[in-house]
Amino acid sequence: MIQNYINGVLVPALSGRYLDIYEPATGKVFTQAPDSDAPDVALAVAAAKAAFPSWSQTSQQERHDLLSDIAVRITQQLPELAAAESRDNGKPLWLAEKMDIPRAASNFDFFANAITQFASETHETTGNALNFTLRQPIGVVGCISPWNLPLYLFTWKIAPALAAGNCVIAKPSEITPLTAFMLGEICIAAGLPPGVLNIVHGLGHTVGAAMSAHPDIKAISFTGSTRTGAEIAKVAAPMFKKLSLELGGKNPNIIFADCNYEKMLATTLRSSFSNQGQICLCGSRIFVERPLYERFKHDFVAKTIQLRVSHPTDPQAKIAAVVSKPHFDKILSYIALAEAEGGTILCGGKAAQVSGDAYQDGWYIEPTIIEGLAYDCRTNQEEIFGPVVSIMPFDTEEEVLHMANSTEYGLAATLWTENLSRTHRFTKALETGIIWVNTWLNRDLRTPFGGVKHSGVGREGGFEALRFFTEAKNVCIEYTT
Ligand code: NAD
């Protein structure tokens, strides 16, 4: 049974209530997590406030050592953590082993080192003054994360917050709480002082809302949907909390005829369907220059049909279960909408049957390619967040730029071309926070990460994250000459 991690110990919700947690591969309940509420958040905040004076005074080296130790322990427990992540989320086990858990360890390792390199500015003012910037931890901060990359995104927020000297209240998604619970156990084993990190499980409109509204949580780092980001901002902004919001996307994948074709095709298969299409960076709108369109369509459909849809522990599974029944229904409803909007389903388009008696009630969807839709229809404007992509031909740079920039989102874009001048024109003109050219999901943790428009506010990653989790205080000292 999953427990909260508050003030260094594992405890149930004060109410004693629990939420059922489902295994997407089977559609069955497999564990329960605390159904916490505002009083649990208040308890966690009290513990964090009590821990802050001493934690914020630890040296960078001490924090480095503790966070590095947590990274080592995550790596040591990789098999158990990956199995838990795959069971909780429905993703292929090999993917959790290769991507999610190694990245969670890297997040701790990276910020353990980054804090030892973090520096602030000095400005010498002509005449007789020197300004320097103090970068101080904020105090108690909140981290709220989604279900698609559970431990990966949870630790991406917690690690920089702790490294910068803050105490943290963290809430994982109620849909995938298991590895967050295991992280609490790891922190206890590593000797993280009580109250420095508190993990409170529960629903968004109870625990999450209580975090947004708590006056002693001074900053919120949130990753999730645009709608929830707006709800959090509505509560937190009038309280003048610092906000980092990493929200939804509807990312364009723009393919020019001069691209490296084989590399583009293999990468586009990944950028369309990895993690069942449930990565905020997946390219769900694929624009193909007309001379290449028919060839691409033929090859892309042929390769997509070969992707094996199977249960998460099948080592050959390229696509496993989507995360929940409501999400399964939502994706299928968007496929129905695409047909109603005049789209043609080139492959997929329905729930997938996988072999094995245990998996007959699981939530599996065939990888789906749609063509023939207008760029501005709902299917091409709204986030589906599943194994569903739309392909569209284009004739000119102006046309594809207009279509690519036409959504309210602006998270990531992928561009395939060997033309250097075009690359520069597009990287300037695309309205996104992240652009990959001739690659996808090639991540360097030092780079600024985040979106524009309705995809978010603020940047994570590297020193950007450490800047977010600190307050800049300018000190101006005038001296006599
Ligand atoms: P969600 O917004 O439903 O939930 C995210 C988290 O917010 C959960 O922990 C949830 O409990 C909590 N929450 C819900 N209502 C809340 C409220 N009123 N107050 C405070 N917290 C609340 O998102 P999801 O369905 O878990 O995740 C999918 C979404 O996340 C997609 O839109 C995807 O694009 C986005 N996402 C974005 C990024 C990025 O880096 N930009 C990364 C991953 C996922």
Side-chain angles (χ1 to χ4, degrees):
M1 191 96 87
I2 292 169
Q3 302 287 290
N4 288 333
Y5 168 54
I6 297 177
N7 205 20
V9 289
L10 300 174
V11 289
L14 289 169
S15 68
R17 288 196 309 267
Y18 283 90
L19 299 165
D20 285 339
I21 306 301
Y22 289 83
E23 180 176 2
T26 62
K28 306 267 185 313
V29 173
F30 80 105
T31 188
Q32 290 189 312
D35 183 7
S36 314
D37 210 332
D40 303 279
V41 172
L43 204 64
V45 173
K49 279 178 78 176
F52 180 69
S54 134
W55 179 249
S56 57
Q57 289 305 311
T58 50
S59 67
Q60 283 92 345
Q61 190 62 42
E62 284 174 88
R63 277 177 262 147
H64 164 274
D65 292 351
L66 250 170
L67 298 187
S68 300
D69 187 37
I70 293 171
V72 169
R73 288 168 190 274
I74 291 174
T75 303
Q76 284 166 346
Q77 289 189 34
L78 191 146
E80 298 92 316
L81 286 163
E85 200 74 295
S86 162
R87 187 163 190 205
D88 211 8
N89 173 279
K91 67 179 68 205
L93 176 60
W94 63 260
L95 186 64
E97 287 171 345
K98 197 173 127 203
M99 178 176 74
D100 294 75
I101 307 306
R103 174 59 191 276
S106 298
N107 289 339
F108 272 101
D109 199 38
F110 176 84
F111 284 108
N113 289 307
I115 196 62
T116 69
Q117 307 297 314
F118 189 42
S120 59
E121 309 81 28
T122 303
H123 301 88
E124 187 174 7
T125 306
T126 314
N128 55 353
L130 186 72
N131 288 272
F132 65 91
T133 310
L134 277 177
R135 283 256 164 211
Q136 297 176 296
I138 297 169
V140 179
V141 301
C143 299
I144 303 177
S145 61
W147 49 256
N148 65 322
L149 301 167
L151 193 63
Y152 173 139
L153 289 175
F154 198 53
T155 54
W156 179 235
K157 299 181 176 305
I158 290 171
L162 294 178
N166 301 284
C167 292
V168 177
I169 314 299
K171 184 192 122 40
S173 169
E174 62 274 24
I175 300 168
T176 53
L178 186 50
T179 49
F181 167 61
M182 294 167 79
L183 177 68
E185 295 181 311
I186 287 173
C187 290
I188 293 172
L192 191 70
V196 169
L197 170 63
N198 304 275
I199 299 173
V200 185
H201 294 275
L203 300 170
H205 68 265
T206 55
V207 175
M211 289 172 64
S212 305
H214 199 296
D216 292 332
I217 297 182
K218 301 293 185 192
I220 304 266
S221 172
F222 169 77
T223 299
S225 64
T226 296
R227 193 171 47 79
T228 305
E231 296 227 344
I232 292 173
K234 215 187 295 170
V235 177
M239 299 172 81
F240 305 109
K241 297 187 182 199
K242 263 185 124 172
L243 280 177
S244 167
L245 303 173
E246 301 292 339
L247 310 176
K250 188 76 179 176
N251 308 310
N253 177 3
I254 303 168
I255 301 167
F256 279 91
D258 70 343
C259 69
N260 176 335
Y261 186 76
E262 293 307 325
K263 185 179 180 202
M264 176 280 296
L265 190 61
T267 309
T268 293
L269 211 59
R270 283 198 308 119
S271 68
S272 301
F273 301 121
S274 288
N275 207 40
Q276 296 67 247
Q278 302 167 136
I279 300 180
C280 56
L281 306 163
C282 280
S284 53
R285 295 181 296 145
I286 304 177
F287 299 103
V288 188
E289 203 176 7
R290 199 173 299 274
L292 196 65
Y293 186 80
E294 287 303 324
R295 177 182 173 202
F296 170 79
K297 172 176 146 181
H298 174 270
D299 292 349
F300 186 46
V301 169
K303 284 202 179 295
T304 299
I305 289 169
Q306 285 167 15
L307 293 175
R308 183 175 167 85
V309 185
S310 187
H311 60 85
T313 47
D314 178 349
Q316 303 305 321
K318 289 287 181 289
I319 297 199
V322 301
V323 76
S324 68
K325 179 69 165 65
H327 196 54
F328 172 85
D329 291 340
K330 175 188 154 180
I331 296 167
L332 291 180
S333 78
Y334 267 105
I335 294 173
L337 173 69
E339 288 189 280
E341 288 184 316
T344 304
I345 311 288
L346 298 177
C347 64
K350 56 185 191 310
Q353 293 306 313
V354 304
S355 52
D357 288 347
Y359 306 111
Q360 294 314 303
D361 295 329
W363 305 309
Y364 301 89
I365 295 180
E366 291 178 353
T368 299
I369 303 172
I370 305 164
E371 80 165 347
L373 288 170
Y375 77 93
D376 56 355
C377 70
R378 279 185 57 204
T379 310
N380 275 329
Q381 294 287 314
E382 298 175 16
E383 187 181 42
I384 301 174
F385 215 52
V388 180
V389 296
S390 163
I391 61 172
M392 288 161 272
F394 69 87
D395 293 299
T396 66
E397 285 191 9
E398 294 68 29
E399 181 193 11
V400 74
L401 258 179
H402 175 71
M403 295 193 291
N405 286 339
S406 67
T407 75
E408 66 180 19
Y409 295 109
L411 187 53
T414 307
L415 177 67
W416 290 95
T417 181
E418 295 292 309
N419 182 321
L420 184 60
S421 296
R422 175 187 288 146
T423 301
H424 283 292
R425 285 194 295 276
F426 269 65
T427 52
K428 283 197 174 158
L430 282 166
E431 296 168 356
T432 60
I434 300 157
I435 298 175
W436 279 295
V437 181
N438 300 331
T439 183
W440 178 73
L441 205 56
N442 182 340
R443 292 280 292 121
D444 180 327
L445 302 189
R446 297 170 300 177
T447 59
F449 180 92
V452 300
K453 304 200 292 193
H454 289 199
S455 287
V457 177
R459 292 292 179 273
E460 299 188 315
F463 293 148
E464 296 282 349
L466 295 177
R467 287 189 196 106
F468 174 75
F469 283 118
T470 50
E471 283 289 3
K473 183 188 283 176
N474 189 67
V475 182
C476 176
I477 303 178
E478 193 173 299
Y479 49 93
T480 47
T481 49

